[in-house]
């Protein structure tokens, strides 16, 4: 996207890597992983702060291996990792001087996993990003404690909140942007009615510390904040609904944080289809894993991600760096992504209606068509018809003998 003078605006160039990346790993990992009931267990089970603090002293994820995590992301075709540096429970997963309730000072682990992850990401060329719960903090007496109300519902708008906000929240955001090298983005969650003034202040601080660090829209409920929009959890908007860059944060099963209760997992086919759908509408997919109390990504999560990675190994050309479909409506057989001079037709589950695939409304004459999954790229039979009244082409691609397992690319 370029503006009238032919150059990308500052915001567009900041977003460039993220828009091309399309696919990232979300990681919900914290002391709550010990209980295996998701990241809201402290709130849902009404665990008093004094009891929850004792959990920290049992948290010792000795099997955590940052390089293994990064390799899982790489094999999945993920280009960035967004990890919970501090979730609503207030426990920082890194060495924080702003609050001793953190993995280095309050648990027997004694290591800084964010530091290890930063090193592994840098080595692998994957961007490290941090999730930060900036307004909700169940451990701090003066932060907001639930998502069902807002700061203005409480006295929290008064001095008390600012003791949390200026010391812990701003202090930890500063630490995350100062101690771990370049940060791809900060993923804020549940802004709880943060004032416009403080929303502006936090953005200004981030821009000053790391001008290239992206900020998601959940930094503030006020309109226009953030470099891109985080849609609702697992939400995929309709075609053409979005006016700015967006992403879908998505679970692999029902929970974000590790849960032993999750039985229903999205299939690899469903995940690929959702990713294609999201990218064809111009969005990114941020797909979540919930590592265990020992610091291991669950085997089933790894399996799913490897299947998605295998599909991307064959068809990544039609995902990474593509633009959204020029046909802003649902197609019965699949979805479309584009690059200059190329239209990628994503055919879901070999769903070739009546033995051929028809696409109306193409602006150009099609020179050739082949299946990305076909290593020999054997040309497919294409019928075309030019319609003078609309100055558009209709193109029909015949079903090949070897029906491609995923794809047709039309040039
Ligand atoms: O309350 C959080 C939840 O635990 C999780 O982190 C999700 C991820 O998008 N965000 C909030 C609910 O939307």
């Amino acid at each position: 996207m370029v503006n009238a003078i032919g150059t990308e605006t500052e915001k567009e160039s900041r977003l460039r890597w993220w828009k091309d990346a399309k696919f990232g790993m979300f990681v919900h990992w914290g002391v709550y992983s010990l209980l295996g009931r998701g990241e809201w267990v402290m709130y849902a089970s009404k665990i008093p702060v004094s009891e929850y603090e004792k959990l920290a002293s049992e948290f010792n994820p000795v099997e955590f291996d940052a390089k293994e995590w990064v390799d899982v992301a790489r094999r999945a075709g993920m280009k960035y990792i967004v990890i919970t540096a501090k979730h609503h429970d207030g426990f920082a997963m890194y060495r924080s001087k702003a609050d001793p309730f953190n993995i280095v000072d309050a648990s027997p682990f004694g290591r800084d996993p964010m530091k290890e992850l930063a090193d592994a990401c840098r080595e692998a060329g994957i961007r490290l990003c941090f999730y930060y719960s900036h307004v909700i903090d169940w451990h701090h007496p003066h932060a907001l404690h639930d998502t069902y109300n807002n700061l203005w519902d409480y006295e929290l708008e008064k001095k008390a909140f600012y003791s949390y906000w200026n010391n812990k929240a701003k202090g930890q955001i500063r630490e995350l942007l100062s101690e771990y090298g370049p940060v791809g983005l900060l993923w804020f969650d549940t802004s709880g009615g943060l004032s416009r003034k403080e929303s502006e202040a936090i953005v200004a601080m981030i821009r000053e510390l790391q001008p290239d660090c992206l900020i998601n829209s959940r930094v503030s409920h006020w309109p226009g904040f953030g470099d891109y929009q985080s849609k609702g959890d697992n939400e995929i908007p309709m075609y053409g609904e979005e006016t700015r860059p967006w992403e879908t944060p998505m679970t692999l099963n029902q929970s974000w944080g590790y849960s032993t209760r999750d039985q229903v997992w999205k299939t690899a086919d469903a995940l690929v289809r959702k990713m294609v759908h999201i990218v064809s509408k111009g969005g990114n997919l941020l797909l979540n894993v919930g590592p265990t109390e020992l610091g291991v990504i669950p085997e089933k999560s790894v399996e799913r991600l490897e299947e998605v990675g295998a599909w991307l190994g064959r068809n990544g050309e039609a995902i990474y760096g593509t633009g959204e479909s020029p046909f802003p409506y649902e197609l019965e057989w699949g979805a479309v992504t584009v690059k200059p001079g190329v239209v990628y037709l994503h055919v879901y589950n070999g769903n070739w209606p009546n033995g051929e695939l028809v696409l109306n409304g193409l602006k150009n004459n099609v020179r050739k068509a082949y299946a990305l999954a076909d290593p020999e790229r054997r040309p497919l039979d294409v019928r075309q018809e030019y319609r003078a009244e609309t100055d558009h082409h209709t193109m029909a691609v015949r079903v090949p003998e070897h029906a491609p397992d995923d794809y047709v690319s039309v040039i």
Side-chain angles (χ1 to χ4, degrees):
M1 267 188 318
V2 291
N3 57 23
I5 49 175
T7 55
E8 283 191 327
T9 63
E10 183 193 329
K11 181 170 184 175
E12 285 158 349
S13 55
R14 186 162 51 230
L15 271 164
R16 177 52 49 212
W17 73 265
W18 180 84
K19 282 187 70 74
D20 288 345
K22 303 298 180 187
F23 189 32
M25 177 186 271
F26 209 175
V27 183
H28 276 70
W29 189 42
V31 67
Y32 45 77
S33 308
L34 265 172
L35 300 180
R37 299 208 306 272
E39 73 289 354
W40 268 72
V41 63
M42 178 182 175
Y43 186 91
S45 304
K46 298 182 173 49
I47 303 172
V49 168
S50 57
E51 283 305 303
Y52 197 80
E53 284 175 341
K54 290 176 191 157
L55 274 181
S57 61
E58 297 161 30
F59 187 48
N60 191 11
V62 292
E63 294 181 25
F64 169 68
D65 178 342
K67 289 189 176 177
E68 174 52 26
W69 283 23
V70 170
D71 200 46
V72 168
R74 183 192 58 75
R75 297 200 306 270
M78 294 162 148
K79 303 297 182 184
Y80 56 104
I81 293 175
V82 181
I83 183 162
T84 49
K86 185 208 76 166
H87 203 267
H88 303 334
D89 64 350
F91 186 74
M93 292 295 284
Y94 70 95
R95 180 193 303 276
S96 172
K97 296 184 183 68
D99 187 333
F101 189 51
N102 69 68
I103 191 167
V104 176
D105 299 321
S107 90
F109 190 52
R111 288 158 43 192
D112 183 340
M114 297 305 110
K115 180 82 183 62
E116 295 174 27
L117 206 51
D119 294 344
C121 281
R122 197 174 308 113
E123 200 178 303
I126 285 184
R127 302 227 183 195
L128 176 65
C129 312
F130 293 121
Y131 165 111
Y132 189 79
S133 173
H134 58 321
V135 176
I136 293 185
D137 186 311
W138 298 323
H139 184 264
H140 196 291
H142 299 313
L144 188 65
H145 284 186
D146 66 39
T147 51
Y148 311 111
N149 288 295
N150 285 308
L151 292 172
W152 56 70
D153 295 322
Y154 295 101
E155 283 307 299
L156 287 175
E157 196 56 32
K158 305 285 184 291
K159 198 160 54 345
F161 172 72
Y162 288 95
S163 71
Y164 158 75
W165 178 248
N166 290 323
N167 299 314
K168 183 169 181 179
K170 283 186 174 177
Q172 291 191 325
I173 293 166
R174 186 175 291 280
E175 288 173 339
L176 291 169
L177 293 177
S178 308
E179 308 296 332
Y180 298 93
V183 174
L185 66 92
L186 284 178
W187 208 96
F188 292 101
D189 204 2
T190 315
S191 60
L194 190 67
S195 69
R196 184 190 284 275
K197 176 172 166 284
E198 284 308 323
S199 304
E200 286 162 353
I202 205 76
V203 169
M205 183 177 100
I206 295 165
R207 292 282 186 253
E208 183 200 338
L209 287 166
Q210 291 208 20
D212 292 336
C213 177
L214 294 172
I215 302 167
N216 75 326
S217 56
R218 293 191 189 181
V219 64
S220 179
H221 70 286
W222 293 97
F225 278 88
D227 295 298
Y228 72 88
Q229 188 187 13
S230 296
K231 301 303 293 180
D233 294 352
N234 293 294
E235 178 193 358
I236 301 177
M238 294 306 291
Y239 272 109
E241 197 174 79
E242 296 310 314
T243 54
R244 54 179 179 154
W246 58 275
E247 73 181 353
T248 296
M250 185 177 289
T251 54
L252 269 171
N253 42 35
Q254 293 92 337
S255 302
W256 299 97
Y258 176 59
S259 170
T260 56
R261 296 177 174 176
D262 283 349
Q263 301 310 320
V264 180
W265 293 62
K266 293 179 179 81
T267 62
D269 186 55
L271 290 165
V272 165
R273 190 165 178 158
K274 287 174 187 294
M275 175 169 58
V276 164
H277 225 58
I278 286 165
V279 172
S280 78
K281 296 169 186 245
N284 278 28
L285 171 59
L286 186 62
L287 188 56
N288 184 72
V289 295
T292 68
E293 73 282 11
L294 289 177
V296 176
I297 298 176
E299 193 178 326
K300 204 158 192 174
S301 299
V302 175
E303 276 169 23
R304 285 290 186 278
L305 292 182
E306 284 181 340
E307 288 178 271
V308 173
W311 181 89
L312 278 167
R314 296 190 303 276
N315 300 293
E317 169 188 335
I319 294 291
Y320 302 121
T322 58
E324 63 191 278
S325 170
F327 309 100
Y329 42 80
E330 305 294 342
L331 295 161
E332 68 276 6
W333 41 261
V336 171
T337 53
V338 295
K339 274 179 185 169
V342 184
V343 172
Y344 296 99
L345 310 184
H346 301 252
V347 184
Y348 293 148
N349 308 321
N351 161 17
W352 295 74
N354 312 318
E356 65 176 17
L357 196 59
V358 178
L359 187 62
N360 297 310
L362 281 171
K363 290 207 171 32
N364 304 327
N365 183 32
V366 171
R367 284 182 290 114
K368 64 179 174 178
Y370 53 87
L372 273 187
D374 175 5
E376 297 165 48
R377 297 205 160 182
R378 286 163 287 185
L380 301 177
D381 293 341
V382 178
R383 270 189 313 106
Q384 293 193 70
E385 184 193 337
Y386 173 69
R387 298 195 168 158
E389 70 275 17
T390 59
D391 189 22
H392 279 167
H393 295 257
T394 289
M395 178 266 304
V397 181
R398 297 294 305 152
V399 178
E401 300 70 51
H402 59 285
D405 58 346
D406 310 303
Y407 229 90
V408 170
S409 146
V410 179
I411 296 185

